[in-house]
Amino acid sequence: MLNCGIVGLPLCGKTTVFNVITKAGAEVKPYASGKTDPNRAVVSVPDRRFDKLVEVYQPKREVPAQVEFVDLAGLSKDASKGAGLGNAFLSFVGESDALVHVIRCFDNPEVPHPEGDVAPARDWEIVEMELIFRDLSVIENRLNRLNSKKKLQAEEEKEKDLLERCRKFLLEERPLRDMEMTKEEIKLLKGFAFLTVKPELVVLNLDETQVDESSIPGMEAFKKLAADRNLQVVKLFGRMEMDLLDLDEEEQKEFMADLEIEEPGRERLISAAYRLLGLISFFTVGKDEVKAWTIRENSTAVEAAGAIHTDLARGFIRAQVVHYDDFEANNFSMAKCREKGLLRLEGKEYIVKDGDIIEIRFNV
């Protein structure tokens, strides 16, 4: 299962955000504890379509899509030089498939900001530069080994050229995720576990007084940074939403209405993280089970079959497909979808769309 590593400076509220996302109840401390072992939790991906299919079919078993979140230790300034938890932190980041970068926007005199004041753009740059420095050190080590050889093989020459390009890009203080690369080049770099190549989502951790952007220190500078760097951003009222978890559903709705918050940040964040990982969901439905299956974007019908069971991929004949939107528009009637040609048979190369309802026909 793919996972999102939650990163950020110490005392930015990462564990609070982790608890909001996962409802895991991990311990939240008002100081940097020095703990290195990450908190982990698997959560269901909110999906209105899945909920409606469960309502329609009333199955014996329901299985939503899932994704894992990992609450990593706080990254200190100069971690790439060994400060704070140094390499212990960076190794855990390397195991993540995507990064959820939490930035502190709230002020709390009882929990001083490690940099002295609240400045979202500066905090983002501190963490980003530590990840860049770490990737540069990996590249320097590999290039030194390649340069020490008297003669390089063709594959090594190709690797060296690519690493030189990466090095130049990083020295311009740009993450590798922004560098144009072919599929072959991406595959070549995979073994290096570069940190800046991982997709990133920024979470602005707010308090309940910061509904209006004007109350967020340094917000204009951050908005410019986010636009320049094309950052994906989600706002979350971390502490407040963690406290909301203790209330029943009706009380939660009333509280959110008072603050003019339409949708829990938790749901927006989980859905955004799922998309960040390049994942989509397709559904299998019936009275026994309604299940949301997770596959990568641009997966074929036979790959979707393999996600269900290898035998279905091996003996694949056809996939019977209808998209959820068409199913809903026709009063959740497969018969009506068939009459209108919306329920169709697709072959192995069909590219599955997010929200497809699929039945695999196979013979082993």
Side-chain angles (χ1 to χ4, degrees), residues 97-122:
D97 299 294
L99 305 180
V100 174
H101 183 173
V102 178
I103 295 178
R104 174 174 170 172
C105 294
F106 63 89
D107 190 22
N108 183 347
E110 294 179 12
V111 187
H113 192 294
E115 294 300 312
D117 62 348
V118 173
R122 177 205 59 207

Side-chain angles (χ1 to χ4, degrees), residues 5 17 35 46 55 61 69 91 125 131 166 170 184 242 258 262 266 293 311 333 337 360 362:
V17 170
K35 178 178 177 289
E55 183 185 318
R61 185 167 178 256
F69 285 89
S91 66
E125 287 173 345
L131 303 182
C166 291
L170 290 168
E184 184 186 354
M242 192 170 79
D258 289 342
E262 295 180 4
R266 173 183 186 274
W293 298 88
D311 284 350
S333 167
C337 289
I360 303 297
F362 71 107

Side-chain angles (χ1 to χ4, degrees), residues 101-240:
H101 183 173
V102 178
I103 295 178
R104 174 174 170 172
C105 294
F106 63 89
D107 190 22
N108 183 347
E110 294 179 12
V111 187
H113 192 294
E115 294 300 312
D117 62 348
V118 173
R122 177 205 59 207
D123 292 355
W124 180 86
E125 287 173 345
I126 288 173
V127 172
E128 193 76 359
M129 288 308 300
E130 291 305 318
L131 303 182
I132 284 174
F133 290 148
R134 184 270 187 187
D135 285 355
L136 276 171
S137 70
V138 171
I139 289 174
E140 295 288 357
N141 288 338
R142 179 56 181 161
L143 286 176
N144 285 339
R145 285 197 292 274
L146 290 173
N147 289 331
S148 68
K149 292 188 174 185
K150 290 182 179 178
K151 185 174 175 57
L152 297 180
Q153 297 177 1
E155 281 302 308
E156 289 175 323
E157 287 283 5
K158 195 181 297 183
E159 179 187 342
K160 182 183 174 184
D161 290 344
L162 178 57
L163 289 176
E164 291 282 10
R165 269 180 58 213
C166 291
R167 180 176 176 276
K168 183 181 177 185
F169 202 81
L170 290 168
L171 286 172
E172 293 170 357
E173 299 185 1
R174 293 188 290 169
L176 294 178
R177 74 180 74 90
D178 293 344
M179 188 172 117
E180 287 188 17
M181 286 185 273
T182 64
K183 286 183 179 179
E184 184 186 354
E185 288 173 335
I186 291 169
K187 188 176 179 182
L188 189 60
L189 293 182
K190 214 163 191 178
F192 292 99
F194 287 130
L195 306 186
T196 65
V197 81
K198 299 177 188 298
E200 180 185 70
L201 174 71
V202 174
V203 177
L204 298 181
N205 188 14
L206 313 170
D207 67 28
E208 62 273 17
T209 68
Q210 296 176 308
V211 176
D212 191 318
E213 281 189 355
S214 63
S215 62
I216 305 172
M219 192 57 190
E220 285 305 312
F222 178 78
K223 283 171 70 175
K224 184 179 184 307
L225 171 74
D228 291 344
R229 298 299 188 106
N230 198 26
L231 300 178
Q232 297 184 57
V233 182
V234 173
K235 294 177 184 175
L236 187 79
F237 298 91
R239 173 61 69 172
M240 184 195 74

Side-chain angles (χ1 to χ4, degrees), residues 312 315-320 338 345 359-363:
L312 271 67
F316 183 95
I317 300 172
R318 286 284 186 274
Q320 181 174 266
R338 185 179 286 108
L345 294 177
E359 180 183 337
I360 303 297
R361 298 183 179 180
F362 71 107
N363 182 32

Side-chain angles (χ1 to χ4, degrees), residues 6-12 14 72-80 83-86 89-90 93 101 114-115 123 125-131 134 195:
I6 303 175
V7 302
L9 293 176
L11 310 178
C12 67
K14 287 184 297 74
L72 302 170
L75 181 147
S76 300
K77 193 174 184 178
D78 293 330
S80 57
L85 299 175
F89 168 86
L90 295 170
V93 179
H101 183 173
E115 294 300 312
D123 292 355
E125 287 173 345
I126 288 173
V127 172
E128 193 76 359
M129 288 308 300
E130 291 305 318
L131 303 182
R134 184 270 187 187
L195 306 186

